[in-house]
Amino acid sequence: MARAGLTTARLVQAGADMADEVGFDQVTVSALARRFDVKVASLYSHVKNSHDLKTGIALLALEELADRGASALAGRAGKDALTALANVYRDYAREHPGRYAAAQLRLDPEAAAASAGGRHAQMTRAILRGYDLTEPDQTHAVRLLGSVFHGYVSLESSGGFSHSAPDSQETWARILDALDALLRNWPAP
Amino acid sequence: MARAGLTTARLVQAGADMADEVGFDQVTVSALARRFDVKVASLYSHVKNSHDLKTGIALLALEELADRGASALAGRAGKDALTALANVYRDYAREHPGRYAAAQLRLDPEAAAASAGGRHAQMTRAILRGYDLTEPDQTHAVRLLGSVFHGYVSLESSGGFSHSAPDSQETWARILDALDALLRNWPAP
DNA sequence: TGCACTTGCCTAATACCTTTAGGCAAACAA
DNA sequence: TTGTTTGCCTAAAGGTATTAGGCAAGTGCA
């Protein structure tokens, strides 16, 4: 019988696609095996276990997101950069809901260390170079921006803003205005 | 044989406790049956299915959270109210991680309508009475506050801020300062 | 080209979890 | 006490996760 040509990378990739199509929690070793028209046990040569597969998808999503962020940020500064990075997260979550959900997976310390998590923090910090903040305030601001981006995208994707006026797009724009204003005028302790 | 006295409410309650102890995703019909020392099938007279049970836990958590919010808000206004409500979310997530995770469950429209979700939006809106915002800006601000509260608590609980200085408590205080300043000085479009 | 060896996918088996159908006995009503 | 309801049980089918061991498709070397 011809071989299917499974590799860890192909499995993770296909798992990510499946997540976007049917939801991250529907991604299962069995479903993935069906997609490759292969028996379930065969996957275990390439992937340690179900958790390992999901971690792989999460790491892939974090990398992709960091790559998009890096190119969005190139050549921009100030509010322009703020908007660009914010939109990267929001657009990615809309285009790849399953991957975005995967990126939210709680990673164990080793996986977290190997992830693109650090790049994300660095990108946010890079934005703040366009504003005038002291060092500790930069960290507070990085955390605030991370919270807003993640929180907004997450609430929006779970339908929180979909059934009321004004529409979500307008709120998003106004929130970015507000964050810009806040960073230009960060309050002293 | 003596009966175990199962009811939907007791099952949901026990499921919530179990979520706090071992994690929301470990809450399973089987595990719950074991906890009541009862056979699995017996639960299905009180709970439609696994998803129904989880929805019940989510609704319970949202109610508890809204109750805490309401009493925290009583008699407070302005920044005092802002801080009080924000701390309700953060403290609840720390005390009841499983319940908080449950509250993040994506509810189907019927469940969402029956949930305390509306109370949460109302509470945030009540805080804004202490600030001077036009009607549409209030909605934007409600969404911003919701995003920050949810985003911060969620990132903090997944360990995002735990391994770097300054500590999370300080950032939280500074973020509340910043939000207060922002609401007092909300930028025009 | 032929052989040995590696590696990939398979069969088989175990162990959970979920859900439905139908039965017996405890609690309750009269 | 006798019906009747209702609650928990047994039984069974189907899905997912994971491990152990087997056979054949590819690969390297003579």
Side-chain angles (χ1 to χ4, degrees), chain A:
Chain A
M1 201 179 297
R3 297 190 177 182
L6 305 180
T7 63
T8 302
R10 284 190 68 199
L11 290 174
V12 168
Q13 184 77 39
D17 294 343
M18 182 182 292
D20 286 336
E21 290 161 24
V22 301
F24 183 56
D25 43 334
Q26 302 301 310
V27 175
T28 181
V29 182
S30 302
L32 204 51
R34 278 193 292 276
R35 172 166 300 211
F36 280 94
D37 201 26
V38 139
K39 299 295 172 176
V40 191
S42 307
L43 301 206
Y44 283 84
S45 318
H46 305 280
V47 153
K48 252 206 306 291
N49 51 42
S50 179
H51 180 258
D52 188 50
L53 171 65
K54 287 177 180 165
T55 299
I57 298 174
L59 294 178
L60 173 68
L62 288 170
E63 289 292 343
E64 288 183 355
L65 212 34
D67 289 346
R68 286 197 184 197
S71 55
L73 243 40
R76 297 187 211 266
K79 189 183 176 191
D80 198 24
L82 175 69
T83 303
L85 185 63
N87 281 326
V88 163
Y89 288 110
R90 183 161 180 253
D91 294 344
Y92 190 81
R94 298 175 147 212
E95 288 168 36
H96 299 293
R99 280 168 158 88
Y100 190 80
Q104 256 50 74
L105 186 69
R106 209 191 162 102
L107 299 173
D108 23 283
E110 323 96 77
S115 79
R119 289 175 68 198
H120 289 272
Q122 281 312 313
M123 290 191 296
T124 308
R125 200 168 282 269
I127 289 178
L128 298 179
R129 280 201 278 271
Y131 299 90
D132 193 31
L133 296 175
T134 66
E135 168 45 44
D137 281 345
Q138 272 193 31
T139 302
H140 301 316
V142 165
R143 291 169 175 180
L144 171 62
L145 292 180
S147 299
V148 176
F149 296 165
H150 168 54
Y152 191 90
V153 167
S154 150
L155 292 178
E156 183 180 39
S157 84
S158 71
F161 308 148
S162 52
H163 298 307
S164 53
D167 80 32
S168 186
Q169 176 55 46
E170 190 186 339
T171 294
W172 182 242
R174 297 302 310 285
I175 284 181
L176 294 178
D177 289 344
L179 289 174
D180 173 62
L182 177 59
L183 293 172
R184 279 189 283 99
N185 215 341
W186 188 265

Side-chain angles (χ1 to χ4, degrees), chain B residues 35-110:
Chain B
R35 172 166 299 212
F36 280 94
D37 202 27
V38 138
K39 297 298 171 173
V40 191
S42 308
L43 302 205
Y44 283 84
S45 318
H46 305 280
V47 154
K48 254 207 302 293
N49 51 42
S50 179
H51 180 259
D52 189 50
L53 170 66
K54 287 177 180 164
T55 299
I57 298 173
L59 295 178
L60 172 68
L62 287 170
E63 289 292 343
E64 289 183 354
L65 211 34
D67 290 344
R68 286 196 184 198
S71 54
L73 243 40
R76 297 187 211 267
K79 189 184 175 192
D80 197 25
L82 175 70
T83 303
L85 185 63
N87 282 327
V88 163
Y89 288 110
R90 184 162 180 253
D91 294 344
Y92 189 81
R94 298 174 148 215
E95 288 169 36
H96 299 291
R99 280 167 158 89
Y100 190 80
Q104 255 50 73
L105 186 70
R106 208 190 164 104
L107 299 173
D108 23 283
E110 323 95 76

